[in-house]
Coordinates of all heavy atoms in Angstrom, one line a residue:
V1 N 41.9 87.4 100.3 CA 43.1 87.0 101.0 C 43.1 85.5 101.5 O 44.0 84.8 101.4 CB 43.6 88.0 102.2 CG1 44.8 87.5 102.9 CG2 43.7 89.4 101.7
S2 N 42.0 85.2 102.0 CA 41.8 83.8 102.6 C 40.5 83.1 102.0 O 39.5 83.2 102.7 CB 41.7 83.9 104.1 OG 41.7 82.7 104.7
P3 N 40.6 82.5 100.9 CA 39.4 81.9 100.3 C 38.8 80.8 101.2 O 37.6 80.6 101.0 CB 40.0 81.3 98.9 CG 41.2 82.0 98.7 CD 41.8 82.3 100.1
L4 N 39.6 80.2 102.0 CA 39.0 79.0 102.7 C 38.5 79.4 104.2 O 38.2 78.5 105.0 CB 40.1 77.9 102.9 CG 40.7 77.4 101.5 CD1 41.7 76.3 101.8 CD2 39.6 76.8 100.7
R5 N 38.5 80.7 104.4 CA 38.2 81.2 105.7 C 36.8 80.7 106.2 O 36.5 80.4 107.3 CB 38.3 82.7 105.8 CG 37.9 83.3 107.2 CD 38.2 84.7 107.3 NE 39.5 84.9 107.6 CZ 40.3 86.0 107.1 NH1 39.6 86.9 106.4 NH2 41.6 86.2 107.5
G6 N 35.8 80.8 105.2 CA 34.4 80.4 105.5 C 34.3 79.0 105.9 O 33.7 78.6 106.9
A7 N 35.0 78.2 105.2 CA 35.0 76.7 105.5 C 35.6 76.4 106.9 O 35.1 75.6 107.7 CB 35.8 75.9 104.4
V8 N 36.7 77.1 107.2 CA 37.3 77.0 108.6 C 36.3 77.5 109.6 O 36.1 76.9 110.7 CB 38.6 77.7 108.5 CG1 39.2 77.8 110.0 CG2 39.6 77.3 107.6
R9 N 35.7 78.6 109.3 CA 34.8 79.1 110.3 C 33.5 78.3 110.6 O 32.9 78.2 111.6 CB 34.3 80.5 109.9 CG 35.4 81.6 109.9 CD 35.7 82.0 111.3 NE 34.6 82.5 112.1 CZ 34.7 83.1 113.2 NH1 35.8 83.3 113.8 NH2 33.6 83.5 113.9
F10 N 33.2 77.5 109.5 CA 32.0 76.6 109.7 C 32.4 75.3 110.2 O 31.6 74.3 110.2 CB 31.4 76.5 108.3 CG 30.6 77.7 107.9 CD1 30.9 78.4 106.7 CD2 29.5 78.2 108.7 CE1 30.3 79.6 106.3 CE2 28.9 79.3 108.2 CZ 29.3 80.0 107.0
N11 N 33.7 75.2 110.7 CA 34.1 74.0 111.5 C 34.1 72.7 110.7 O 33.7 71.6 111.2 CB 33.2 73.8 112.8 CG 33.4 75.0 113.7 OD1 34.4 75.4 113.9 ND2 32.3 75.5 114.3
V12 N 34.5 72.8 109.5 CA 34.7 71.6 108.7 C 36.0 70.9 109.0 O 36.9 71.6 109.6 CB 34.4 71.8 107.2 CG1 33.2 72.4 106.8 CG2 35.7 72.6 106.7
E13 N 36.1 69.6 108.8 CA 37.3 68.8 109.1 C 38.1 68.6 107.9 O 39.3 68.3 107.9 CB 36.9 67.6 109.8 CG 36.3 67.8 111.2 CD 35.5 66.7 111.7 OE1 36.1 65.7 112.2 OE2 34.3 66.7 111.5
K14 N 37.4 68.5 106.7 CA 38.2 68.4 105.4 C 37.6 69.3 104.3 O 36.4 69.7 104.3 CB 37.9 66.9 104.9 CG 38.5 65.8 105.9 CD 38.3 64.5 105.3 CE 39.0 63.4 106.1 NZ 39.0 62.1 105.4
I15 N 38.5 69.8 103.5 CA 38.0 70.7 102.4 C 38.7 70.2 101.1 O 39.8 70.0 101.0 CB 38.7 72.1 102.6 CG1 38.3 72.7 104.0 CG2 38.1 73.1 101.5 CD1 38.9 74.0 104.3
M16 N 37.7 70.0 100.1 CA 38.1 69.6 98.8 C 38.0 70.9 98.0 O 37.0 71.6 98.0 CB 37.2 68.6 98.2 CG 37.5 68.2 96.8 SD 36.5 66.9 96.0 CE 37.3 65.4 96.7
I17 N 39.1 71.2 97.3 CA 39.2 72.4 96.5 C 39.3 71.9 95.0 O 40.0 71.1 94.6 CB 40.4 73.2 96.8 CG1 40.4 73.6 98.3 CG2 40.6 74.4 95.9 CD1 41.5 72.9 99.1
L18 N 38.3 72.5 94.2 CA 38.4 72.3 92.7 C 38.9 73.5 92.2 O 38.2 74.5 92.0 CB 37.0 71.9 92.2 CG 36.4 70.5 92.7 CD1 35.2 70.2 91.9 CD2 37.4 69.5 92.6
G19 N 40.2 73.5 91.7 CA 40.8 74.5 91.1 C 40.6 74.6 89.6 O 40.0 73.8 89.0
T20 N 41.1 75.7 89.0 CA 41.0 75.8 87.5 C 42.3 76.2 86.8 O 42.3 76.7 85.7 CB 39.9 77.0 87.3 OG1 40.4 78.2 87.8 CG2 38.5 76.6 87.7
R21 N 43.4 76.0 87.5 CA 44.7 76.3 86.9 C 45.7 75.1 87.2 O 45.7 74.6 88.3 CB 45.3 77.6 87.4 CG 46.7 77.8 86.7 CD 47.2 79.3 87.0 NE 47.5 79.4 88.4 CZ 48.3 80.4 88.9 NH1 48.6 81.4 88.0 NH2 48.5 80.6 90.1
Q22 N 46.5 74.7 86.2 CA 47.5 73.8 86.3 C 48.6 74.3 87.4 O 48.7 75.4 87.6 CB 48.2 73.5 85.0 CG 49.3 72.5 85.0 CD 50.1 72.5 83.6 OE1 50.2 73.6 83.0 NE2 50.6 71.4 83.2
L23 N 49.1 73.3 88.1 CA 50.2 73.7 89.0 C 51.3 74.4 88.2 O 51.8 73.9 87.3 CB 50.8 72.4 89.7 CG 51.8 72.6 90.8 CD1 51.3 73.3 91.9 CD2 52.4 71.3 91.2
P24 N 51.6 75.6 88.6 CA 52.6 76.4 87.9 C 54.0 75.7 87.9 O 54.4 75.1 88.8 CB 52.7 77.7 88.6 CG 51.4 77.8 89.4 CD 51.1 76.4 89.8
V25 N 54.5 75.7 86.7 CA 56.0 75.3 86.5 C 56.8 76.4 86.0 O 56.5 76.9 84.9 CB 56.0 74.1 85.4 CG1 57.4 73.6 85.2 CG2 55.1 73.0 85.8
F26 N 57.7 76.8 86.8 CA 58.5 78.0 86.5 C 59.8 77.6 85.7 O 60.5 76.7 86.2 CB 58.8 78.7 87.8 CG 57.6 79.3 88.4 CD1 57.1 78.6 89.5 CD2 56.9 80.4 88.0 CE1 55.9 79.0 90.1 CE2 55.8 80.9 88.6 CZ 55.3 80.2 89.7
S27 N 60.0 78.2 84.6 CA 61.2 77.9 83.7 C 61.7 79.2 83.1 O 60.9 80.2 83.1 CB 60.9 76.8 82.7 OG 59.8 77.2 81.9
D28 N 62.9 79.2 82.6 CA 63.4 80.4 81.9 C 62.6 80.6 80.5 O 62.8 79.7 79.7 CB 64.9 80.2 81.7 CG 65.5 81.4 81.1 OD1 64.8 82.5 81.1 OD2 66.6 81.4 80.6
P29 N 61.9 81.6 80.4 CA 61.1 81.8 79.2 C 61.9 82.4 78.0 O 61.8 83.5 77.6 CB 60.0 82.9 79.6 CG 60.7 83.7 80.6 CD 61.7 82.7 81.4
E30 N 63.0 81.5 77.6 CA 64.0 82.0 76.7 C 63.3 82.5 75.4 O 63.8 83.5 74.8 CB 64.9 80.8 76.4 CG 66.1 81.2 75.5 CD 67.0 82.1 76.2 OE1 67.2 82.1 77.4 OE2 67.5 83.2 75.4
A31 N 62.3 81.8 74.9 CA 61.6 82.2 73.6 C 61.0 83.5 73.7 O 60.7 84.2 72.6 CB 60.5 81.1 73.3
L32 N 60.6 84.1 74.9 CA 59.9 85.3 75.1 C 61.0 86.5 75.3 O 60.5 87.6 75.4 CB 58.9 85.2 76.1 CG 57.8 84.2 75.9 CD1 56.8 84.2 77.2 CD2 57.0 84.4 74.6
R33 N 62.2 86.2 75.6 CA 63.1 87.3 75.9 C 63.2 88.3 74.8 O 63.2 88.0 73.6 CB 64.5 86.7 76.2 CG 64.6 85.9 77.5 CD 66.1 85.4 77.6 NE 66.1 84.7 78.9 CZ 66.3 85.2 80.1 NH1 66.4 86.6 80.2 NH2 66.4 84.6 81.2
N34 N 63.4 89.6 75.3 CA 63.5 90.7 74.3 C 62.4 91.0 73.4 O 62.6 91.6 72.3 CB 64.9 90.5 73.5 CG 66.1 90.4 74.4 OD1 66.2 91.1 75.4 ND2 66.9 89.4 74.1
G35 N 61.3 90.3 73.7 CA 60.0 90.6 72.8 C 59.1 91.5 73.5 O 59.3 92.1 74.6
D36 N 58.1 91.9 72.7 CA 57.1 92.8 73.3 C 56.1 92.0 74.1 O 56.0 90.8 74.0 CB 56.3 93.4 72.2 CG 57.2 94.4 71.3 OD1 58.1 94.9 71.9 OD2 56.9 94.5 70.1
I37 N 55.4 92.7 75.0 CA 54.3 92.0 75.9 C 53.1 92.8 75.6 O 53.0 94.0 75.7 CB 54.8 92.0 77.4 CG1 53.7 91.3 78.2 CG2 54.9 93.4 78.0 CD1 54.2 90.8 79.5
A38 N 52.0 92.0 75.2 CA 50.8 92.6 74.8 C 49.9 93.0 76.1 O 50.1 92.4 77.2 CB 50.0 91.6 74.0
F39 N 49.0 93.9 75.9 CA 48.2 94.3 77.0 C 47.3 93.1 77.5 O 47.1 92.9 78.8 CB 47.2 95.4 76.5 CG 46.2 96.0 77.6 CD1 46.7 96.8 78.6 CD2 45.0 95.5 77.6 CE1 45.8 97.3 79.4 CE2 44.1 96.0 78.5 CZ 44.5 96.9 79.5
A40 N 46.9 92.2 76.6 CA 46.2 91.1 77.0 C 46.9 90.1 77.8 O 46.3 89.5 78.8 CB 45.7 90.3 75.8
H41 N 48.2 90.0 77.7 CA 49.1 89.3 78.5 C 49.1 89.8 80.0 O 49.0 89.0 80.9 CB 50.5 89.2 77.9 CG 51.3 88.1 78.5 ND1 52.5 87.6 77.9 CD2 51.1 87.3 79.6 CE1 53.0 86.6 78.6 NE2 52.2 86.4 79.7

């Protein structure tokens, strides 16, 4: 629930986070409408 809790508890003043996902951009998935959705998805 709180990935940064340890850093906060160890009294750091700055936290650099290296993520692994692009900032999500939400749009209408028109091309996927009315199609099937795979288990892998």
Side-chain angles (χ1 to χ4, degrees):
V1 176
S2 185
L4 305 181
R5 176 172 282 150
V8 173
R9 292 287 305 191
F10 289 118
N11 296 317
V12 302
E13 295 157 81
K14 296 187 175 187
I15 307 173
M16 177 178 283
I17 301 113
L18 298 187
T20 56
R21 181 171 65 169
Q22 181 189 29
L23 183 67
V25 178
F26 297 99
S27 59
D28 186 14
E30 187 64 38
L32 300 178
R33 285 182 183 275
N34 302 316
D36 296 328
I37 187 165
F39 181 81
H41 196 165

